[in-house]
Amino acid sequence: MKELYAGIRQAFWEYEPEAALHGLQQALKQEEEPTALVQFLSEQLTEIGEQFSRGELFLPDMMMAGDVMESCMGLLRPLLESKGAGNASLGKVLLGTVKGDIHDIGKNMVKTMLSASGFQVIDLGTDVSTEQFFNAAMQEKPDIIALSSCMTTTIPSMQDTLDMFTDRDLHKSFKIVVGGGSMNQELVERLGHCIYGGRDAFEAARTCRNLMENDQIGGMRQ
Amino acid sequence: MTARFWELISRGETGPSYTGKEFDLRLFGATKKLIKKYDIHYDPAHIADHEDGMLERVFQAGLELFLEIGMYNMDTGKIIRVTEEEVFEALHRAPCCVTLGEGREKVFVNHRDLEDPSLPVVCGGVGNPMTNDARYQLYLGYALNPMIDYIEPVPPYQFRGRLVKAGTPFEIQACMDNIALFRKASRDAGRPGMPVKGKDGVSAITDIATNREDCGYRKSDHANVYIKPALKTTYEDLNRIAQYLQYGINISSGAGGYMGGVNGGAEGAAIGGMAEAFAAVTIYQANIMSTSVMDSIYPNQTSGKAMWGSNLITAAFNKYTHVPDMWGVYIATAGPCTDMILYEIAACTVGLVVNGGHTFGVAPNQGVTLNYCTPMEPQFMGEVGYAATKLTRKQANDISLKILEKYEDRLMAKQAPKGKTFQELYNLETLEPCEEYRELVASVWEELEILGLKRYSFRG
């Protein structure tokens, strides 16, 4: 089993999803617990995230590692659920850059850091309209809605999106986290009904983790 | 070179198709190979005096990346590819000097060589959003400052009591009001022909609508279009370029490598930035270049690695081309009236000026904190830039490293001091800076002189 784990680790770090899946299948044949494998994969992703935070690995490394993780979870998730292990994800995040703003580098970093932290991320991309956020939230029922704005002139679009939820009292059903270059704590207080993600992708991921650990969300996701 | 624009962008309709992710991963893979092939390595002991072989190698690596990868049109999912001949034709046909402004306030943005003794142009970028109550006073403060040749106004923040929203009539009118306010300030300062660097942070429709000789951006100003990271464009940006060409305004474009993003680390960001310089001149038709590397994880351009990368591509671009180049310390981490902001400005500016750049800045507090910018930061940047014209690259490197020591720990710990607002630091009637800020600048200058940076004197 030790050799199998070494092989999975190597495949993971070389961003080879097929080799990683092969290793997992071998391990499962030898009756390894899916929860142990998920734990092992999460440790790899965390390690990659730490190297990213130290500037030793980069956004594409995180993207490729995230792809491997997603492939592996495609195999393991049904097994976990059939064994009653519950949802392997830390939570579901709906992410996007608000209408009028097509900056994506920061948003992509947040996406990879959230994935590395164990969140399931639905990325709506950039220049996302209020209605697109709303429809996706109704369909996906995320735990967290994460909005990004990098320009002062797109803060009003962020307000529009928040209004769409608060006007329907739905801010009580989701945690709405905001961030991006134009955002700061003072503005967040003016916007209302949202939480400041922080100055960078690491802070954003930490904020989301803390929110899930101190979960006060209503019932949308049940 | 403008004649090639239509032909080049039409390749974004017919070129090979990729998803954005596929393009990013191709770029990342190609960059990693080029780092090895051309032996590009970060050297913390030489952040401003790169050896000539390194300049040639990063120039070649950037060129190879651009030729191999091309530029990605995000709207069509297709690649715009260019040939080496087209790149060098564009570089050859680009001017070596651009004249901005009108009348007595004309500014000549010339090409500067490495260790060029000519004084750099000082573009004071109003680096943070500003509330309307003090915006006129801020602009007047810039216009009254003889060190500042021209400015980049901030994007509008409020319009008739509400926040300005991108892509709306409010934004168009707010931008018209904003430029009118700056023109009034420059007239009131007796500098009606003072040029302006536009335009960032607003939508393309507003950028285009505000190009008006009578009351908006003049042909003698220059408009900026950043290349989306990394090596990406959109039709919104190409619409800007098309209209700017038809209007006749000068175009600057940013060659910006982003550390931590798809370029990778400092080495990859330098190669990526170099590649974007070629894209800017060839596809975006830029006649003023901005060469920089930025840390995108904790946004700044003043860390040792960011300065190493910015100085490297600035030096390479200015050694091997004749296109005017302008950059400075745009994204700093500390705020006004702190020792750290002055250190960041000084460390960054000595390197860029000695490597052939003009100066542009400053955005304190990473450019996101309302009212945290004053005319003092670009004035100090200009003073340092003038002083740096007396330095060799080796001297600039030694000074830059010693200044970096004074703030690097705080930057790496993300503990840059916030400083104070324009309203707190300036008398809004006299537009004089407060005693505290003046004394701080004087004391930092004493430190810089001890390090070997002598204040510039017009008496020679």
Side-chain angles (χ1 to χ4, degrees):
Chain A
M1 189 61 71
K2 199 175 171 183
E3 276 178 21
L4 274 176
Y5 269 100
I8 295 167
R9 179 180 162 83
Q10 185 180 347
F12 200 97
W13 282 79
E14 289 175 358
Y15 315 131
E16 296 286 353
E18 285 175 13
L21 282 172
H22 179 72
L24 292 178
Q25 280 157 347
Q26 296 296 107
L28 291 168
K29 269 186 196 166
Q30 294 187 25
E31 299 193 346
E32 179 61 300
E33 280 298 320
T35 47
L37 291 168
V38 170
Q39 176 66 30
F40 180 73
L41 293 171
S42 297
E43 285 165 9
Q44 307 311 306
L45 208 51
T46 302
E47 205 176 322
I48 286 174
E50 284 167 0
Q51 290 199 25
F52 174 62
S53 70
R54 293 196 298 267
E56 295 160 8
L57 290 176
F58 310 107
L59 186 60
D61 293 292
M62 296 288 290
M63 287 159 61
M64 290 186 281
D67 285 350
V68 179
M69 186 71 178
E70 201 46 49
S71 297
C72 293
M73 289 308 294
L75 175 70
L76 297 173
R77 198 175 284 122
L79 298 174
L80 289 170
E81 284 165 6
S82 69
K83 283 176 177 264
N87 195 333
S89 159
L90 187 55
K92 194 190 274 192
V93 182
L94 188 68
L95 173 70
T97 304
V98 298
K99 182 73 184 165
D101 197 330
I102 66 161
H103 291 85
D104 68 354
I105 191 165
K107 182 219 24 117
N108 290 344
M109 282 186 181
V110 171
K111 178 184 175 182
T112 52
M113 286 308 300
L114 288 171
S115 298
S117 301
F119 283 97
Q120 182 190 352
V121 184
I122 297 156
D123 182 3
L124 298 180
T126 60
D127 193 21
V128 181
S129 71
T130 294
E131 191 167 348
Q132 283 172 297
F133 272 116
F134 180 75
N135 290 341
M138 292 302 101
Q139 189 178 334
E140 298 289 347
K141 299 184 173 34
D143 300 288
I144 295 170
I145 299 170
L147 311 175
S148 171
S149 160
C150 287
M151 306 191 295
T152 53
T153 50
T154 51
I155 294 168
S157 299
M158 192 169 263
Q159 183 76 68
D160 290 342
T161 306
L162 284 165
D163 290 347
M164 183 66 94
F165 291 95
T166 52
D167 287 354
R168 290 161 179 76
D169 261 355
L170 288 171
H171 60 285
K172 295 171 185 165
S173 303
F174 307 105
K175 297 268 185 214
I176 304 181
V177 175
V178 300
S182 66
M183 207 45 59
N184 55 48
Q185 186 60 46
E186 191 186 326
L187 266 172
V188 167
E189 281 160 22
R190 281 178 55 188
L191 288 168
H193 303 300
C194 59
I195 299 143
Y196 183 42
R199 280 298 309 140
D200 58 37
F202 306 101
E203 285 185 24
R206 198 178 310 129
T207 302
C208 290
R209 270 200 311 271
N210 290 343
L211 284 174
M212 294 309 293
E213 282 163 15
N214 305 304
D215 194 357
Q216 297 162 1
I217 301 173
M220 281 300 284
R221 198 164 173 247
Q222 272 75 37
Chain B
M1 62 177 182
T2 301
R4 298 261 185 242
F5 173 69
W6 303 101
E7 182 194 337
L8 291 174
I9 66 163
S10 68
R11 294 175 195 171
E13 289 285 323
T14 56
S17 294
Y18 290 91
T19 65
K21 188 172 175 180
E22 286 169 342
F23 180 80
D24 284 344
L25 294 179
R26 278 187 72 230
L27 186 141
F28 183 59
T31 305
K32 281 213 288 196
K33 283 181 195 159
L34 290 167
I35 291 169
K36 278 190 188 159
K37 178 179 174 183
Y38 286 99
D39 188 26
I40 309 293
H41 53 272
Y42 167 60
D43 181 351
H46 296 280
I47 60 173
D49 63 338
H50 307 279
E51 42 110 1
D52 285 353
M54 175 75 96
L55 303 189
E56 187 178 352
R57 294 200 302 278
V58 81
F59 189 87
Q60 286 299 331
L63 180 62
E64 199 168 315
L65 181 67
F66 180 47
L67 296 177
E68 181 183 338
I69 297 295
M71 189 177 214
Y72 182 67
N73 183 330
M74 295 165 73
D75 287 316
T76 62
K78 290 177 180 164
I79 307 283
I80 300 169
R81 278 239 171 78
V82 301
T83 66
E84 189 168 356
E85 184 65 16
E86 286 166 335
V87 173
F88 280 97
E89 182 192 1
L91 288 169
H92 175 79
R93 295 192 190 282
C96 58
C97 182
V98 174
T99 306
L100 304 176
E102 295 177 354
R104 290 163 57 92
E105 299 308 319
K106 273 188 181 162
V107 176
F108 302 98
V109 186
N110 60 306
H111 172 75
R112 296 183 71 250
D113 287 321
L114 277 61
E115 299 180 5
D116 197 320
S118 68
L119 295 180
V121 167
V122 178
C123 177
V126 181
N128 269 314
M130 195 80 199
T131 47
N132 286 351
D133 59 323
R135 187 181 286 248
Y136 170 75
Q137 287 91 334
L138 182 74
Y139 286 164
L140 186 58
Y142 277 77
L144 284 169
N145 193 319
M147 178 57 79
I148 297 170
D149 294 305
Y150 70 112
I151 80 156
E152 178 195 36
V154 278
Y157 182 69
Q158 288 163 310
F159 176 71
R160 297 177 194 169
R162 65 171 67 182
L163 292 176
V164 174
K165 187 191 279 188
T168 64
F170 312 115
E171 185 191 48
I172 292 175
Q173 190 56 49
C175 280
M176 296 300 291
D177 293 350
N178 190 38
I179 188 71
L181 194 66
F182 174 72
R183 297 288 189 214
K184 173 173 166 43
S186 64
R187 275 196 310 275
D188 292 350
R191 302 174 73 184
M194 197 176 186
V196 174
K197 173 184 181 286
K199 316 165 174 184
D200 292 309
V202 294
S203 61
I205 186 71
T206 296
D207 276 347
I208 289 168
T210 50
N211 275 346
R212 287 181 55 169
E213 197 64 35
D214 57 344
C215 61
Y217 286 89
R218 303 167 180 159
K219 295 180 181 71
S220 59
D221 295 325
H222 80 92
N224 194 67
V225 187
Y226 283 107
I227 292 176
K228 296 204 161 33
L231 277 171
K232 293 196 183 88
T233 190
T234 61
Y235 272 130
E236 184 160 83
D237 282 342
L238 295 174
N239 287 341
R240 286 181 166 99
I241 304 281
Q243 198 274 340
Y244 294 170
L245 292 173
Q246 286 160 351
Y247 181 58
I249 194 168
N250 297 291
I251 297 172
S252 63
S253 185
Y258 288 82
M259 291 194 293
V262 294
N263 291 123
E267 296 88 349
I271 294 173
M274 201 74 241
E276 289 191 0
F278 297 120
V281 175
T282 311
I283 299 173
Y284 277 21
Q285 313 291 313
N287 53 5
I288 300 175
M289 183 52 55
S290 299
T291 42
S292 76
V293 161
M294 177 164 157
D295 188 335
S296 56
I297 294 176
Y298 179 62
N300 76 82
Q301 293 169 323
T302 57
S303 68
K305 282 186 176 177
M307 290 194 290
W308 173 86
S310 293
N311 289 331
L312 173 59
I313 60 174
T314 297
F317 189 78
N318 290 318
K319 184 173 169 66
Y320 295 109
T321 83
H322 62 245
V323 184
D325 184 23
M326 168 167 285
W327 195 253
V329 47
Y330 202 67
I331 305 292
T333 60
C337 200
T338 65
D339 63 340
M340 185 166 165
I341 185 78
L342 299 176
Y343 294 146
E344 288 182 278
I345 292 168
C348 208
T349 304
V350 291
L352 289 167
V353 167
V354 84
N355 282 299
H358 292 278
T359 63
F360 166 56
V362 177
N365 294 335
Q366 300 171 310
V368 296
T369 315
L370 196 59
N371 295 332
Y372 280 76
C373 59
T374 81
M376 184 66 91
E377 296 86 54
Q379 176 189 317
F380 180 72
M381 176 183 72
E383 290 171 358
V384 171
Y386 279 22
T389 60
K390 304 285 187 188
L391 300 176
T392 64
R393 281 184 287 163
K394 164 129 190 22
Q395 289 169 326
N397 184 65
D398 292 345
I399 292 168
S400 198
L401 285 173
K402 284 176 191 157
I403 304 169
L404 179 61
E405 278 175 17
K406 293 172 183 281
Y407 70 85
E408 193 172 26
D409 286 352
R410 283 181 280 177
L411 191 151
M412 300 317 282
K414 303 181 187 177
Q415 288 175 344
K418 190 175 180 186
K420 294 180 179 174
T421 63
F422 173 60
Q423 291 91 329
E424 289 171 310
L425 291 170
Y426 272 67
N427 179 322
L428 298 185
E429 292 297 321
T430 65
L431 297 177
E432 288 289 322
C434 66
E435 192 66 25
E436 180 190 1
Y437 206 0
R438 283 206 303 265
E439 284 177 3
L440 180 65
V441 170
S443 98
V444 169
W445 258 117
E446 281 175 21
E447 291 178 54
L448 297 179
E449 295 229 349
I450 291 167
L451 296 180
L453 186 68
K454 303 297 176 198
R455 273 189 183 239
Y456 184 85
S457 166
F458 288 97
R459 285 195 302 178

